[in-house]
Amino acid sequence: MRYFHRRASAVLAVTAAFQLGPVAAEFDMALHGPYAYYESSPILPRPWAGQFATWFPNSAGVLTNVSTGVCNLTLVDYRAALRAPRGSAEARTLLSICNRHEACVYAQLPPSVTLNYQGASILLGLAPVILSTLGPTLAELALLSARRPLLSLLVSLGAPVCWVTRAFEFHDPRDAVRGGRLVVGRKSTRVAVLISATQYVLAAAAAGNVFSTMVETGRRTTLAWACTTAFAPLLWSTLAVLVNIVAAASGLVIKRASKREEGQPSPLWKTVYRAVASETTICANREVDYGGKTGEEVPMLAMFLFVAAGCMSFFFFLFGTAVFSGLQFVSFIDAFKRILVRLIVSTIVCRLILVVELAGLRRTSVVTTK
C-alpha cells in the first residue's frame, strides 16, 4: 500500500510541475530580469527555423514536452524575436532569449539525461581527432589536387579533417608516391572510365552526406557558447575547401618546378588545360608523371603554401573541436549513430579513393637521383 501511495505522489508531483509551467517560466523571468540586447551582425545568417522545433530522435519526446510546456514562455518569445525584422529592438534580444530558453530546458531535465548529454559532448569533442586518423594528409591532398583538382575538392568535402602536421613543418608531397608499396596497374579504357565515374559518384555522395549531417546537426542542436549560431557545424565542414586550395597551390608549384628542371617548360595556361583535360582520367592511366629528383630543392613558395595550409588545418581542427564539444541536447546514441558514424563512413570512402589514386601515381611516377 505504501508503494502505491509513493507512486501516486510522484505522478501528481510530475503532473503539477507541467501544469505550473507558465508560473515557473514567469518566476524565471522575475529572477533573471528582462532580456539583454545584443547588436546582431548583418553578415551572419540568422538561426534556421527548425531550432527548438526539431530534436534528435532519441530524446525528442522529453525535449519537446519541456520546451513547449514548462519553458513555453521563453519559446514563444524566441519565435517572436526570430520573426522580427533584423535590427529591431525585439530582434536584438534573440541571443538572450535563446540562452534563457536553453537554460530553462536544461533545468527541467533529470540528472541522468544531462549526464548523458555531457558524455555525448565529450565524444563529439573527440570527433576531429578520430576523423583525422582516417582522413588524408596535406601532402596527399596536394599531390592529388595538382592532377585531379575536382576530385580532390570532393574528397576534401567528404573527409573534412586532415591529419594535422606539426606547426611550421614541411613534407614534400612527392614522398607520398616514393615511399608506398601499393601500385595499381594500367587499366583498359572501359574499366578506367568506370572507375573514374565511380570515384566521382562516391566522393559526391560522401560530400553530400557530410553536408546533410551538418545541416541536420545545426537544426536539432544549439551551441553552448553561441546559442543562435546554427550554421557553425556546416561552416566547419565547408572550411576544408580553403585548406585544400592552399595545399593544391603548393603541389602545383612543386610540379611545375620539377618539369622546368627537366627542360619541359610548362606555362600556367598549359598546366590548367592539361589539368582540365586529364580530370576524368585515373592516375594509373596517365602518361609518365615526373616525380622529381631525390633530395632536390623545393621552391620557397611551395614550402610557404604548404606550411600555411598546415597552420590553417590546425585552426580548422581547433574550431571543429570547439563546435562539436559545444553541441547541446544530443544524447550519446544520437551523437554516435547520427553524427559520428556518418562522418566516419564519408571519411573512409574518400580515403579509399585517395589510396587508389596514389597507387596509380606510383606506377606512372619517375624518380631520378640527383
Side-chain angles (χ1 to χ4, degrees):
M1 183 64 69
R2 291 181 180 178
Y3 169 77
F4 288 107
H5 279 299
R6 288 196 299 267
R7 186 73 179 271
S9 300
V11 172
L12 289 175
V14 173
T15 305
F18 278 94
Q19 288 177 345
L20 296 177
V23 177
E26 291 175 5
F27 175 76
D28 178 77
M29 178 67 71
L31 180 64
H32 296 285
Y35 300 123
Y37 290 86
Y38 297 91
E39 291 293 339
S40 59
S41 172
I43 301 176
L44 298 179
R46 307 187 74 176
W48 294 317
Q51 198 172 28
F52 297 124
T54 56
W55 314 89
F56 279 109
N58 198 50
S59 54
V62 62
L63 290 176
T64 300
N65 290 335
V66 172
S67 180
T68 59
V70 178
C71 303
N72 187 59
L73 177 63
T74 50
L75 179 63
V76 171
D77 291 343
Y78 173 82
R79 290 174 176 173
L82 186 62
R83 292 191 298 266
R86 183 186 288 270
S88 64
E90 189 175 12
R92 288 167 54 195
T93 63
L94 182 64
L95 178 59
S96 178
I97 299 173
C98 186
N99 290 329
R100 191 81 61 84
H101 185 67
E102 182 183 75
C104 179
V105 173
Y106 255 107
Q108 307 302 322
L109 296 176
S112 59
V113 176
T114 57
L115 287 175
N116 190 304
Y117 291 166
Q118 292 172 15
S121 296
I122 296 174
L123 175 66
L124 290 174
L126 294 173
V129 179
I130 298 172
L131 296 175
S132 67
T133 60
L134 300 172
T137 65
L138 284 176
E140 292 170 344
L141 281 178
L143 200 64
L144 181 63
S145 298
R147 290 151 181 83
R148 303 187 66 183
L150 178 58
L151 181 62
S152 177
L153 179 65
L154 293 175
V155 167
S156 65
L157 289 173
V161 184
C162 296
W163 177 258
V164 181
T165 60
R166 292 179 60 86
F168 310 112
E169 191 171 277
F170 173 76
H171 296 279
D172 193 336
R174 294 166 296 188
D175 290 341
V177 175
R178 297 168 182 166
R181 293 185 177 182
L182 180 62
V183 177
V184 174
R186 188 179 184 89
K187 306 298 179 183
S188 64
T189 303
R190 181 177 298 180
V191 173
V193 170
L194 180 61
I195 292 176
S196 180
T198 303
Q199 287 175 337
Y200 284 111
V201 170
L202 291 177
N209 178 49
V210 172
F211 178 85
S212 63
T213 302
M214 293 299 94
V215 170
E216 182 181 2
T217 300
R219 291 179 64 247
R220 295 174 182 249
T221 63
T222 60
L223 270 181
W225 47 271
C227 186
T228 57
T229 312
F231 61 88
L234 181 61
L235 176 64
W236 169 81
S237 65
T238 54
L239 283 177
V241 176
L242 299 179
V243 179
N244 177 270
I245 291 174
V246 178
S250 174
L252 185 60
V253 171
I254 293 176
K255 183 181 178 183
R256 294 185 63 204
S258 297
K259 288 190 174 183
R260 277 201 302 270
E261 290 182 5
E262 282 294 295
Q264 301 175 8
S266 181
L268 180 60
W269 68 267
K270 194 171 184 179
T271 302
V272 174
Y273 173 78
R274 287 177 177 175
V276 173
S278 63
E279 175 63 43
T280 57
T281 303
I282 62 175
C283 291
N285 280 29
R286 295 172 61 89
E287 298 300 327
V288 173
D289 194 304
Y290 177 66
K293 297 178 180 179
T294 56
E296 71 177 337
E297 184 178 352
V298 179
M300 288 297 298
L301 178 58
M303 297 178 62
F304 172 79
L305 290 173
F306 189 92
V307 171
C311 294
M312 293 171 60
S313 179
F314 168 76
F315 286 108
F316 171 73
F317 187 92
L318 191 63
F319 177 64
T321 303
V323 169
F324 280 106
S325 63
L327 293 176
Q328 304 292 304
F329 307 119
V330 188
S331 69
F332 192 91
I333 296 298
D334 288 326
F336 179 76
K337 184 168 66 174
R338 294 181 169 85
I339 299 178
L340 188 58
V341 168
R342 293 179 63 176
L343 295 178
I344 288 176
V345 170
S346 292
T347 302
I348 291 176
V349 168
C350 292
R351 176 63 180 165
L352 291 177
I353 293 173
L354 191 57
V355 167
V356 171
E357 288 301 286
L358 292 178
L361 277 177
R362 292 189 184 100
R363 188 198 70 81
T364 59
S365 294
V366 175
V367 181
T368 58
T369 57
K370 190 171 182 179

